[in-house]
Amino acid sequence: MKLKRCYIENFGGLHQYEVFFQDGITMIEEANGFGKTTLAEFIRAMFYGLPKNTGSFEKQFRKKYKPWQGGNYGGNLIFEENGKEYKIERSFGATQKSDKLSIYEVKTGKKTTDYTEEIGLELFGLDSDSFARSTYLPQVHEAMNLSTDNIRAKLGNLVDDTNDINNFEDAIKHLKDSRSYFQAYRGNKGLCHDLSTKISELQLEIDECKTLRTTLENKKENLLQQEQAKAEKQEALKQIKEQINQVNAIELKKNVTKQYQEKTALVQASKQAVKQVEGKYSNGIPTTQELKDIEPLFDRMIALDSKEAQTKPNDDDKQTVEEGKVIFKEYIPTTEDFVQQKRHALDYVKIKTTLEQTKLSTSEEEALQELQAFFQKGSVDEMFFTARQNEIKEIQNCETKKDLQHLSKEETLSYQNLQVFFASGVPSEESIQENLAKTRKIQDLNDEKVNLVSEQVESIQHTPQSTKQSSTPIICLFVGVLLLVVGIVFFIMNSITTGAIGLVVGILSIVIGLYLKTQQTQASTTNNQTNEMSIETRNKITQNQKMIDQLDREVLAFVSRYITDNRSHIDKLHDISNKRTSYVTLQAKEEAQKQEIEKLTQQIQQLSINLQEKLSTFFTDIDTYDHALEMLKEKDTTYRQLKEKKVEQEKDRTTYKNQLNTLYRELTRFLFPFYGSIEEKDFSNYIDELEMKRNAYIKAKKNLEEIEKQQQEIQTDKKICENTFAAFIGKYQLDLDIRHREAFQILMNQIAQYLGEKKNLIIFTKDLETFYSENSDLLTKEVKQVDVSLEELQAKEQELNIELEQMQTRILSARQEAHGMERKVDELPAKEDQLQQLKEEREEGLHRKDILDQTQMFLEEAKESLSDQYLGSIKTQFMYYLEKLSGVSNEKISMTTDFQVKVERFGESRNLAYFSMGQSDLVMLCMRFALVDAMFEDSKPFIILDDPFVNLDDENTARALKLLEEIGKERQILYLVCNRSRAIDWN
């Protein structure tokens, strides 16, 4: 495949950057920081995308190459594969899910189905990591491990299917994971260890269950004894409770008798208090409702006296009313009148201000005068501008046509090449046709010569017939080759004996076949089939040959003036004829273009003269016709606008003056009854002042009317209060005054106390009757005395309750413990079955672990066997490149199946870490080139070299550049370099 072009919109520090790739080496020589490594990573990202941001910053490609300047993150790349050109477009986001990929076929512009999102894997047979370890040499390429499962699979021709079956590393990983599931390689982990732990724990549980059987029987016997002791304690407690009840009955009678006596005393005291209060009020006792009705009259009377003292007319209000009667003697304006007149005053000010502003500004007036003077030179209209714009447009069209009157870049290059081709003179078409006729004559003479020879051969009468050749030699040769192939196959399969037999028999069959074929050839040559030709035929053939030679020299003399390659004369003549036709056509086209240019030049000159004449009336110095016409049009527009504006303003001023006169008459009419003559500028002040006086007059008048009304209401309320109070004290013959509240409060307290005592008498009497009815038996019943005190009996009862509670706790605990033991003992058969199952599972797991270990061992052996098949060819190519780069041919090198290289020094193999950076880079370069050759025997993918010779000395760098040029003849190489000393000198 080949890279054709890449375009980077934004990637790292690169922005709108484009590269066209050459067939051989494309070298990009730029300073540090330009973005060469970024360009290389962009190419890899086009084929493989960007991975997730993981690990160190160097591995976080998505974050590392996020555009520094912002914008669309991505670009496109065009490549050629199998004769087709494809275009990859990728844009990258913050995550892989937000990435976008499109692949087009360049010729059709349509999306292709030839490749999917795995385009890198499909093209190279490598994943992104393997690509970076083979065809892409990044700038940081110290002795990294070049072996990946993908690279080994490709070397073993296993990349036709990318499933995990063909992936050694994945297969081994799966085996190790499966093996670790059963038993870990280190530590006590895995299914088998877990099963062993469970078996040990379960065995301990089974032993514990067997021990519990004996303990359970003893526990049940002890529980029966505790139940008997508990029953005895419960009987003793019952007797104590009966004695406590008897003592409580004696004490209860004492308490009930005492309570009955106290309740009787309360009833007698309440009766006495009620009789005392009723004796004081001979005309009856006022009710609670009557007292509640009379009590507010005291507060009401005080409030009315206070309100009467405060309710007096205000002197300011009186004066305001007197002044208002004088001002508003004719009429009082309404609120609507003031609103309307205020609007008139405001409109008057606005219109007057607008009238003063309705005129051109000083700058506009000056501009109008200047434009009037400017257009005195001549007038313009729309037709004038249209005519001039058409003339300018015609000049531009002529200039455009004039610019187009030249050969294209391809035609110019072709015409120059044809001029060189016909440097010795352009042949006429007749001379070309004449030489074509000579070539046809040569062909006819050759055909005649062949016919003469054929006729002579057929005329021979006694030509011996060739002996029929046997097919035996061919069969022997075929069998021999087949046996050789079979023998080699058996050797590869390690079947040495069978392979050796196949090789020996195959070689013998080939030798026999060759011997028989040689005998047939010798027998065939003994039959002489060439008889002597006649003299006449030989002379005719000789004459034809001379004429052919003469014509050939003449044609050669003609075509050699133009073409000297090895093609036939007729091909050369056709080529010359085609080139002559192209030359004559281009020559005629160039001449026609010159004539057209001259015609257009004259037309442009005529139009320019006319424009100059029209525009010079207004401008003495014309920069460009477009600019001059635009300035003239702008001045004309401004001039017209200013004139129209001035006319409109004069109309508006007349309207504003009429409106001012109308408003003035209306305002003076309204204010005259109150002020007489007024000044024009004070309309708003007069109206505001008049409105304020009117409002004050109305408010003061209303205040005086309100105070008079309130005084009348106060006198009416006071009369009602006095009449109500007099009726109350007259009913009960009481000595009270409405303005002395203390005596009435004493009356209220006495009556409240009387009512309380009367209510208590009812309650106490009912309570006494209820108490007696509930306790009459106990009051009259005789109770037997007990010698033991209540405290002693309660102490004994508490002691027995505590003992019973402790016994109950012990019994419950013993029952729960016995129940738990029974449950565990019942689980014994199930645990024994579970133990047997766990042992069987452990044995099965150990067996599977052993199988996985053996499978892994076989797979590792197969992996090593597969690696040995391609390691030899890689090492051969590696030694070839090492000799080219270092100049040393006898270096002792060893190589592992993981492509780890060791160099022998002083009888000991050492890895690359023991050598300098330059030597290490030299070895790794050779390893990379050898690896690419081995992986891509048929296809020739491109190689990206990101300054790989940075650690090489001058001599090794020179050899490396020479090798690079040699590789570039067969492969496409992108060579990125920052130092001139490592650049390729194309000269």
Side-chain angles (χ1 to χ4, degrees):
M1 67 167 296
K2 291 181 181 179
L3 298 177
K4 306 296 287 185
R5 180 182 70 85
C6 83
Y7 172 76
I8 302 176
E9 178 65 24
N10 288 291
F11 194 82
L14 294 178
H15 170 62
Q16 294 183 349
Y17 180 71
E18 188 171 25
V19 178
F20 289 88
F21 301 98
Q22 302 176 7
D23 284 348
I25 300 175
T26 300
M27 183 176 72
I28 297 179
E29 179 187 355
E30 295 289 351
N32 290 330
F34 168 77
K36 298 184 295 300
T37 301
T38 302
L39 171 61
E41 288 295 344
F42 173 80
I43 295 174
R44 178 160 71 141
M46 283 295 100
F47 287 107
Y48 291 99
L50 289 176
K52 297 179 180 177
N53 287 330
T54 57
S56 64
F57 179 75
E58 289 300 323
K59 299 295 184 182
Q60 296 181 18
F61 296 101
R62 189 175 298 273
K63 181 178 180 182
K64 182 177 180 182
Y65 293 109
K66 184 177 181 181
W68 300 358
Q69 63 282 341
N72 186 29
Y73 187 2
N76 62 67
L77 182 141
I78 297 176
F79 69 94
E80 179 183 335
E81 176 69 4
N82 295 327
K84 290 184 180 180
E85 287 190 358
Y86 298 92
K87 182 178 183 181
I88 305 174
E89 291 183 355
R90 281 189 190 266
S91 62
F92 305 103
T95 60
Q96 286 181 329
K97 290 183 178 179
S98 57
D99 292 351
K100 295 181 180 178
L101 167 65
S102 298
I103 306 173
Y104 301 92
E105 189 175 338
V106 175
K107 184 177 181 180
T108 62
K110 296 180 179 179
K111 287 189 177 182
T112 181
T113 58
D114 296 347
Y115 301 102
T116 67
E117 292 185 356
E118 301 291 336
I119 183 171
L121 186 62
E122 293 163 356
L123 281 170
F124 307 110
L126 300 172
D127 56 23
S128 178
D129 184 47
S130 302
F131 176 81
R133 296 170 188 265
S134 56
T135 61
Y136 168 41
L137 277 71
Q139 198 171 61
V140 181
H141 56 274
E142 63 272 8
M144 63 172 66
N145 181 13
L146 300 182
S147 174
T148 68
D149 56 341
N150 208 247
I151 289 177
R152 286 195 297 272
K154 184 167 182 64
L155 289 169
N157 295 322
L158 298 176
V159 295
D160 292 336
D161 185 0
T162 57
N163 292 329
D164 288 342
I165 297 174
N166 300 318
N167 191 321
F168 281 115
E169 294 297 332
D170 285 349
I172 291 175
K173 182 179 183 301
H174 290 323
L175 287 172
K176 287 183 177 180
D177 292 344
S178 299
R179 197 267 192 193
S180 298
Y181 169 76
F182 291 106
Q183 183 172 324
Y185 289 94
R186 293 182 181 179
N188 297 325
K189 294 181 180 180
L191 178 63
C192 294
H193 176 266
D194 295 343
L195 290 172
S196 297
T197 303
K198 290 181 179 179
I199 288 171
S200 300
E201 294 173 352
L202 191 58
Q203 186 63 55
L204 290 175
E205 293 176 3
I206 290 173
D207 294 340
E208 182 182 355
C209 289
K210 292 179 179 178
T211 304
L212 283 177
R213 285 178 178 172
T214 304
T215 306
L216 180 61
E217 296 298 328
N218 296 332
K219 181 67 68 176
K220 288 181 178 180
E221 184 177 353
N222 180 264
L223 184 61
L224 181 61
Q225 294 175 356
Q226 291 183 22
E227 291 285 355
Q228 293 176 352
K230 175 185 173 183
E232 294 174 358
K233 290 288 183 182
Q234 287 175 338
E235 182 62 29
L237 179 61
K238 182 178 178 182
Q239 296 176 1
I240 293 296
K241 285 183 176 182
E242 290 177 353
Q243 293 179 352
I244 289 174
N245 291 335
Q246 190 174 359
V247 173
N248 285 335
I250 295 171
E251 191 67 27
L252 180 60
K253 183 175 181 180
K254 290 180 180 179
N255 292 334
V256 169
T257 302
K258 183 179 179 181
Q259 290 179 24
Y260 181 74
Q261 293 172 352
E262 291 173 351
K263 291 179 183 295
T264 302
L266 287 174
V267 171
Q268 294 299 325
S270 293
K271 286 181 179 180
Q272 186 65 30
V274 169
K275 288 181 179 180
Q276 289 178 355
V277 175
E278 289 177 348
K280 291 182 179 180
Y281 300 97
S282 58
N283 291 336
I285 298 174
T287 64
T288 302
Q289 186 60 45
E290 289 177 326
L291 294 174
K292 287 181 179 181
D293 293 340
I294 294 300
E295 185 178 15
L297 295 178
F298 291 94
D299 293 335
R300 181 65 177 166
M301 201 67 182
I302 293 172
L304 290 173
D305 290 339
S306 176
K307 189 175 181 181
E308 184 179 14
Q310 295 175 0
T311 306
K312 294 181 179 181
N314 187 283
D315 295 338
D316 292 337
D317 289 341
K318 291 180 180 179
Q319 183 178 355
T320 301
V321 170
E322 292 300 324
E323 292 175 353
K325 289 179 179 179
V326 175
I327 295 172
F328 302 105
K329 60 184 178 180
E330 294 188 7
Y331 77 98
I332 299 175
T334 64
T335 302
E336 291 75 13
D337 293 336
F338 282 107
V339 171
Q340 183 179 8
Q341 297 306 320
K342 284 182 179 180
R343 188 180 301 113
H344 289 162
L346 182 61
D347 291 343
Y348 184 86
V349 174
K350 287 182 179 179
I351 293 171
K352 188 174 182 181
T353 304
T354 304
L355 177 63
E356 294 173 354
Q357 295 175 350
T358 306
K359 61 182 179 179
L360 292 179
S361 65
T362 304
S363 59
E364 289 177 330
E365 191 66 42
E366 292 175 355
L368 180 59
Q369 293 175 1
E370 291 177 0
L371 289 171
Q372 284 175 342
F374 179 81
F375 284 106
Q376 286 177 355
K377 302 174 186 178
S379 61
V380 294
D381 54 14
E382 191 64 31
M383 293 180 62
F384 176 88
F385 287 113
T386 302
R388 302 294 83 74
Q389 286 174 343
N390 290 337
E391 290 169 351
I392 293 172
K393 187 175 181 181
E394 185 63 26
I395 290 175
Q396 292 173 346
N397 290 337
C398 291
E399 292 288 355
T400 302
K401 292 178 181 178
K402 187 177 175 181
D403 292 338
L404 294 175
Q405 297 305 314
H406 60 78
L407 297 177
S408 66
K409 184 177 180 181
E410 292 78 7
E411 289 175 332
T412 301
L413 181 61
S414 177
Y415 189 44
Q416 291 173 352
N417 291 334
L418 289 172
Q419 286 176 329
V420 174
F421 185 81
F422 293 114
S424 59
V426 181
S428 65
E429 184 63 28
E430 292 76 10
S431 61
I432 295 174
Q433 294 300 325
E434 181 182 346
N435 281 280
L436 282 171
K438 289 178 181 180
T439 57
R440 288 193 290 271
K441 181 63 175 176
I442 292 173
Q443 183 64 41
D444 293 339
L445 291 172
N446 277 321
D447 293 341
E448 183 180 355
K449 186 173 67 173
V450 172
N451 291 334
L452 289 171
V453 173
S454 299
E455 291 172 359
Q456 183 65 28
V457 172
E458 291 176 359
S459 65
I460 299 174
Q461 299 294 326
H462 304 288
T463 301
Q465 300 297 320
S466 60
T467 306
K468 184 178 180 181
Q469 295 184 353
S470 174
S471 61
T472 303
I474 301 300
I475 295 174
C476 290
L477 289 172
F478 176 77
V479 172
V481 172
L482 181 62
L483 290 173
L484 281 177
V485 173
V486 172
I488 293 170
V489 171
F490 277 106
F491 264 116
I492 294 174
M493 296 174 63
N494 295 328
S495 182
I496 306 300
T497 303
T498 306
I501 293 172
L503 288 174
V504 172
V505 176
I507 292 171
L508 288 175
S509 297
I510 291 173
V511 170
I512 293 171
L514 291 174
Y515 174 76
L516 294 175
K517 185 65 178 177
T518 303
Q519 294 299 318
Q520 284 185 355
T521 302
Q522 291 176 355
S524 177
T525 55
T526 58
N527 297 323
N528 185 6
Q529 297 179 357
T530 58
N531 292 326
E532 188 174 347
M533 293 184 181
S534 66
I535 295 174
E536 182 181 357
T537 301
R538 274 203 313 272
N539 291 337
K540 184 64 174 176
I541 292 174
T542 302
Q543 183 179 359
N544 284 357
Q545 187 60 47
K546 287 179 180 181
M547 189 175 296
I548 289 170
D549 294 340
Q550 177 62 31
L551 292 172
D552 186 68
R553 285 192 295 271
E554 292 175 0
V555 175
L556 179 61
F558 175 80
V559 298
S560 60
R561 293 168 58 193
Y562 309 103
I563 301 174
T564 58
D565 56 28
N566 295 325
R567 286 181 292 167
S568 65
H569 291 332
I570 192 167
D571 289 340
K572 294 178 182 179
L573 287 169
H574 284 304
D575 191 8
I576 294 170
S577 178
N578 292 335
K579 282 184 168 58
R580 180 189 179 281
T581 302
S582 299
Y583 180 80
V584 171
T585 302
L586 291 173
Q587 189 179 44
K589 185 176 181 180
E590 185 180 45
E591 184 62 29
Q593 288 174 343
K594 289 179 180 179
Q595 294 175 2
E596 183 66 19
I597 289 172
E598 184 177 354
K599 177 182 176 182
L600 292 169
T601 302
Q602 293 176 358
Q603 191 173 352
I604 291 170
Q605 290 175 351
Q606 183 62 38
L607 291 168
S608 299
I609 292 170
N610 188 49
L611 274 170
Q612 182 71 25
E613 180 182 350
K614 298 295 183 181
L615 295 176
S616 59
T617 304
F618 305 98
F619 303 103
T620 57
D621 185 14
I622 299 176
D623 183 14
T624 63
Y625 297 129
D626 279 334
H627 182 254
L629 187 62
E630 186 65 30
M631 287 179 61
L632 182 60
K633 193 169 187 178
E634 183 179 346
K635 286 179 179 293
D636 179 64
T637 302
T638 304
Y639 181 48
R640 293 178 185 276
Q641 289 174 348
L642 289 174
K643 288 197 300 182
E644 292 174 0
K645 184 176 181 181
K646 190 168 185 178
V647 171
E648 290 296 326
Q649 285 178 341
E650 289 300 327
K651 293 180 181 178
D652 293 340
R653 288 178 63 85
T654 302
T655 303
Y656 294 149
K657 288 178 181 179
N658 294 333
Q659 292 175 351
L660 284 176
N661 292 332
T662 303
L663 290 171
Y664 179 79
R665 289 194 297 270
E666 175 64 24
L667 288 167
T668 53
R669 182 197 61 75
F670 173 73
L671 295 172
F672 183 80
F674 309 105
Y675 291 101
S677 61
I678 58 175
E679 296 182 7
E680 177 184 346
K681 62 180 181 180
D682 294 329
F683 284 139
S684 295
N685 293 336
Y686 282 123
I687 294 171
D688 292 339
E689 182 184 4
L690 183 62
E691 185 181 21
M692 185 173 61
K693 289 180 179 181
R694 189 212 66 161
N695 292 340
Y697 170 67
I698 293 174
K699 183 178 179 181
K701 187 177 180 181
K702 185 177 181 181
N703 289 341
L704 293 177
E705 293 173 351
E706 186 67 28
I707 287 172
E708 184 179 357
K709 182 179 179 181
Q710 289 177 357
Q711 288 177 344
Q712 292 175 357
E713 291 176 351
I714 289 170
Q715 292 300 323
T716 302
D717 289 346
K718 288 175 71 175
K719 191 66 176 176
I720 293 171
C721 289
E722 289 173 352
N723 293 336
T724 303
F725 190 77
F728 172 72
I729 61 176
K731 178 180 178 180
Y732 295 103
Q733 298 295 313
L734 300 174
D735 185 14
L736 295 174
D737 189 344
I738 194 170
R739 288 181 172 80
H740 296 83
R741 186 169 184 170
E742 293 78 4
F744 182 76
Q745 189 65 44
I746 293 171
L747 172 65
M748 288 182 65
N749 292 338
Q750 289 176 352
I751 293 174
Q753 186 177 2
Y754 165 74
L755 294 174
E757 288 296 337
K758 194 171 182 180
K759 184 177 181 181
N760 288 338
L761 178 60
I762 295 172
I763 294 172
F764 293 157
T765 302
K766 185 176 181 180
D767 183 46
L768 179 63
E769 292 173 354
T770 302
F771 184 80
Y772 183 79
S773 64
E774 291 176 353
N775 298 284
S776 58
D777 293 340
L778 187 60
L779 290 171
T780 57
K781 181 181 178 181
E782 293 294 334
V783 181
K784 185 180 179 181
Q785 298 294 325
V786 178
D787 296 335
V788 184
S789 67
L790 179 63
E791 289 77 9
E792 292 176 346
L793 292 172
Q794 289 176 339
K796 185 64 174 177
E797 179 187 28
Q798 184 178 4
E799 181 181 351
L800 288 173
N801 283 327
I802 292 172
E803 290 179 359
L804 280 170
E805 184 176 352
Q806 292 175 349
M807 293 178 71
Q808 182 64 25
T809 301
R810 288 194 297 270
I811 291 171
L812 288 175
S813 177
R815 285 177 180 173
Q816 291 176 354
E817 188 176 356
H819 183 67
M821 290 180 181
E822 287 179 341
R823 191 167 57 250
K824 289 183 178 180
V825 171
D826 293 340
E827 292 174 355
L828 183 59
K831 289 183 181 293
E832 289 176 342
D833 293 341
Q834 185 181 359
L835 178 63
Q836 182 62 30
Q837 182 179 355
L838 289 174
K839 288 181 178 180
E840 292 175 357
E841 290 179 3
R842 182 179 62 180
E843 292 301 321
E844 177 66 20
L846 291 172
H847 177 66
R848 292 190 178 184
K849 186 267 295 182
D850 293 339
I851 292 176
L852 290 170
D853 286 338
Q854 293 177 5
T855 305
Q856 182 180 341
M857 180 183 68
F858 293 148
L859 191 58
E860 291 286 354
E861 291 176 356
K863 172 185 171 183
E864 296 299 326
S865 176
L866 181 64
S867 299
D868 291 340
Q869 294 181 19
Y870 53 74
L871 199 59
S873 61
I874 293 176
K875 186 173 182 181
T876 300
Q877 285 298 103
F878 171 79
M879 295 304 295
Y880 167 76
Y881 288 121
L882 186 62
E883 182 179 353
K884 286 281 187 179
L885 284 177
S886 66
V888 179
S889 60
N890 58 350
E891 189 73 79
K892 293 183 178 180
I893 300 293
S894 62
M895 188 183 301
T896 68
T897 56
D898 289 336
F899 313 127
Q900 298 293 326
V901 178
K902 292 185 177 182
V903 182
E904 184 175 331
R905 288 289 189 272
F906 304 103
E908 182 179 353
S909 294
R910 300 177 184 273
N911 59 36
L912 297 182
Y914 286 91
F915 298 91
S916 67
M917 288 293 294
Q919 289 177 309
S920 177
D921 279 3
L922 197 68
V923 171
M924 291 306 295
L925 281 169
C926 297
M927 189 70 246
R928 285 295 190 94
F929 289 145
L931 190 60
V932 171
D933 287 346
M935 286 195 297
F936 302 98
E937 294 179 354
D938 299 327
S939 61
K940 301 292 183 181
F942 62 86
I943 299 176
I944 302 177
L945 303 178
D946 187 2
D947 217 350
F949 312 138
V950 65
N951 293 315
L952 303 187
D953 56 29
D954 293 343
E955 185 177 351
N956 283 328
T957 300
R959 281 196 291 264
L961 293 175
K962 184 177 181 181
L963 175 62
L964 194 62
E965 293 185 39
E966 180 181 331
I967 297 174
K969 295 177 182 179
E970 297 183 357
R971 295 182 185 274
Q972 187 183 35
I973 298 175
L974 174 59
Y975 179 45
L976 308 172
V977 64
C978 66
N979 195 306
R980 186 61 193 166
S981 63
R982 297 190 295 276
I984 298 175
D985 187 359
W986 300 109
N987 295 325

